[in-house]
Amino acid sequence: MKFSITKQVFHFRQPAGTSRGVYTERASWMVTVTDERWPGRVGRGECAPLPDLSCDAIPDYENVLRRLCDVMQQKGTLDVQMLRPYPSMLFGLETALRNLQHGGNVVYDTPFTQGRVGIPINGLVWMGSYDEMLSRIDEKVKSGFHCVKLKIGAIDFNRELELIRHIRNVFSSEVIQLRVDANGAFAPHEALRKLEQLSLFDIHSIEQPIRQGNWKSMAELCRISPLPIALDEELIGVNIPQMKEQLLDVIRPSYIILKPSLHGGISGVEEWVRMADQRGIQHWITSALESNVGLSAIAQFCAHVYGEHIQMPQGLGTGQLFTDNIQIPLEIRGEKLYFGHGSELH
């Protein structure tokens, strides 16, 4: 095997706001791999750490990635144990090797990559002013989405409640399923009160109401919350199987949200899925602001995990975020993501 690495910087069409800050651009490292067993074929994967969030968003990222590729080149195989501390690198390398085996843009051969079925996705509404968010929600509903995810925690909470109240006055929970994502914005002492206020509006679930790392407070919140709680950032850096089991057993969330770039690559997410299923904890898979290379791989992995009859909307509607995205045959029709040769997400 021979590896090459290229850094690419992608630019957001609009600033992407979270409670952690605002992204205007993001860097990815594209890995390509060739193998004399498949002459003329190239595998491609995306290593995309998120600054201030990924456990492997380190200053010398490219140098570490290059050293790991050198080790793989020498061994001729992927060492998952060695790569556990570097989930975004692991995901990119797993993707590149699977893509090398299948060729083209395919990572998993499924009815999704055959263009026969689509994956239901939620419409993502980024943080912004009240009027901006209201306009974005209206746009998602008109596009045909029945599940909308709101990023909250950046503007005044009462204004956010007013926004949600307005949505519910127009659209019942039978028409629009609402998910909210706080990205850890609530202080532990105020979280329950805010969850009680949100629960008045038929919210499906709330992601990460308080910052990760406080298992005791999160466990208590999951126990008494009137809203189902989903863990996201809480899973970052929990890469050892025993720690994963301990986290799930201590906190007992209703859902976990799985992002291969953040939560252990493909192999790490498969561990989370197996452990969650054993405990009756539900889950869905989302992208983490990757380009279309990473997004396509995650969507294909999602179709592999859940099969062709996926009911729960996944978080895969991020392909239109960048002005300079890489062209991959992904297409959103209504509220589903399709893989094919029609219109591409740019």
Side-chain angles (χ1 to χ4, degrees):
M1 292 189 290
K2 291 185 179 180
F3 293 87
S4 63
I5 301 167
T6 305
K7 182 180 179 180
Q8 289 188 241
V9 177
F10 300 96
H11 301 86
F12 286 89
R13 293 183 188 277
Q14 298 175 338
T18 76
S19 59
R20 302 297 182 87
V22 177
Y23 294 109
T24 57
E25 62 179 34
R26 65 110 73 247
S28 290
W29 283 263
M30 298 296 171
V31 175
T32 56
V33 58
T34 57
D35 191 315
E36 59 187 16
R37 291 175 293 177
W38 294 289
R41 194 182 290 183
V42 176
R44 182 168 59 167
E46 179 177 5
C47 304
L50 280 171
D52 303 319
L53 193 59
S54 297
C55 66
D56 58 352
I58 50 181
D60 57 342
Y61 187 91
E62 185 169 335
N63 290 332
V64 173
L65 177 58
R66 198 169 295 279
R67 288 199 299 270
L68 291 169
C69 286
D70 288 343
V71 171
M72 286 179 60
Q73 225 164 255
Q74 293 165 9
K75 289 186 173 182
T77 185
L78 178 71
D79 187 338
V80 171
Q81 297 305 318
M82 180 180 69
L83 284 158
R84 276 188 185 273
Y86 310 104
S88 65
M89 299 184 199
L90 176 57
F91 171 64
L93 293 170
E94 287 173 317
T95 299
L97 292 176
R98 287 183 175 275
N99 183 215
L100 179 65
Q101 292 174 21
H102 289 284
N105 292 309
V106 177
V107 180
Y108 287 91
D109 183 13
T110 66
F112 172 69
T113 50
Q114 294 161 15
R116 295 195 284 115
V117 299
I119 299 173
I121 61 176
N122 59 238
L124 178 60
V125 175
W126 287 97
M127 290 177 177
S129 69
Y130 177 90
D131 290 334
E132 285 172 338
M133 293 180 75
L134 192 59
S135 173
R136 291 168 188 169
I137 292 164
D138 188 54
E139 180 185 318
K140 295 298 179 187
V141 172
K142 286 180 178 176
S143 297
F145 286 95
H146 290 90
C147 178
V148 174
K149 172 180 167 180
L150 299 176
K151 293 273 189 179
I152 63 173
I155 62 176
D156 178 72
F157 183 67
N158 288 327
R159 291 285 280 167
E160 289 173 335
L161 284 178
E162 188 180 328
L163 179 70
I164 294 169
R165 182 180 294 109
H166 173 80
I167 297 168
R168 275 293 172 249
N169 284 340
V170 179
F171 304 105
S172 70
S173 57
E174 285 75 30
V175 177
I176 293 292
Q177 182 187 92
L178 278 180
R179 298 172 176 173
V180 295
D181 182 3
N183 284 122
F186 301 162
H189 71 274
E190 65 179 10
L192 181 60
R193 175 178 58 84
K194 290 187 173 182
L195 294 181
E196 288 171 343
Q197 290 174 281
L198 287 167
S199 70
L200 301 175
F201 301 106
D202 291 318
I203 304 293
H204 171 268
S205 58
I206 180 167
E207 290 182 39
Q208 205 67 43
I210 63 176
R211 278 187 177 263
Q212 74 267 34
N214 192 340
W215 288 15
K216 183 177 179 182
S217 293
M218 186 66 86
E220 178 64 10
L221 205 55
C222 286
R223 190 179 68 81
I224 62 177
S225 172
L227 270 183
I229 291 176
L231 301 186
D232 178 357
E233 289 91 341
E234 199 73 62
L235 312 182
I236 296 173
V238 182
N239 299 317
I240 300 170
Q242 293 87 342
M243 282 188 66
K244 293 179 180 181
E245 291 181 321
Q246 186 180 8
L247 182 148
L248 295 177
D249 288 337
V250 169
I251 298 179
R252 303 295 303 182
S254 297
Y255 301 97
I256 56 173
I257 298 167
L258 299 165
K259 300 175 178 175
S261 290
L262 293 175
H263 301 144
I266 289 172
S267 51
V269 167
E270 286 175 335
E271 286 181 349
W272 281 115
V273 166
R274 184 175 66 254
M275 293 173 184
D277 286 345
Q278 289 169 350
R279 291 160 174 80
I281 297 170
Q282 297 185 67
H283 42 80
W284 65 88
I285 292 172
T286 94
S287 53
L289 305 182
E290 295 87 357
S291 78
N292 277 340
V293 172
L295 173 62
S296 173
I298 294 167
Q300 294 181 51
F301 173 58
C302 179
H304 167 74
V305 171
Y306 295 123
E308 60 183 291
H309 302 294
I310 302 175
Q311 298 298 317
M312 185 176 290
Q314 309 293 303
L316 304 171
T318 55
Q320 296 168 316
L321 291 178
F322 304 113
T323 60
D324 45 6
N325 212 334
I326 293 171
Q327 292 191 11
I328 297 282
L330 294 171
E331 180 184 3
I332 294 176
R333 292 183 231 148
E335 60 179 351
K336 288 189 175 183
L337 180 70
Y338 289 87
F339 184 96
H341 303 286
S343 301
E344 295 175 346
L345 296 180
H346 300 295

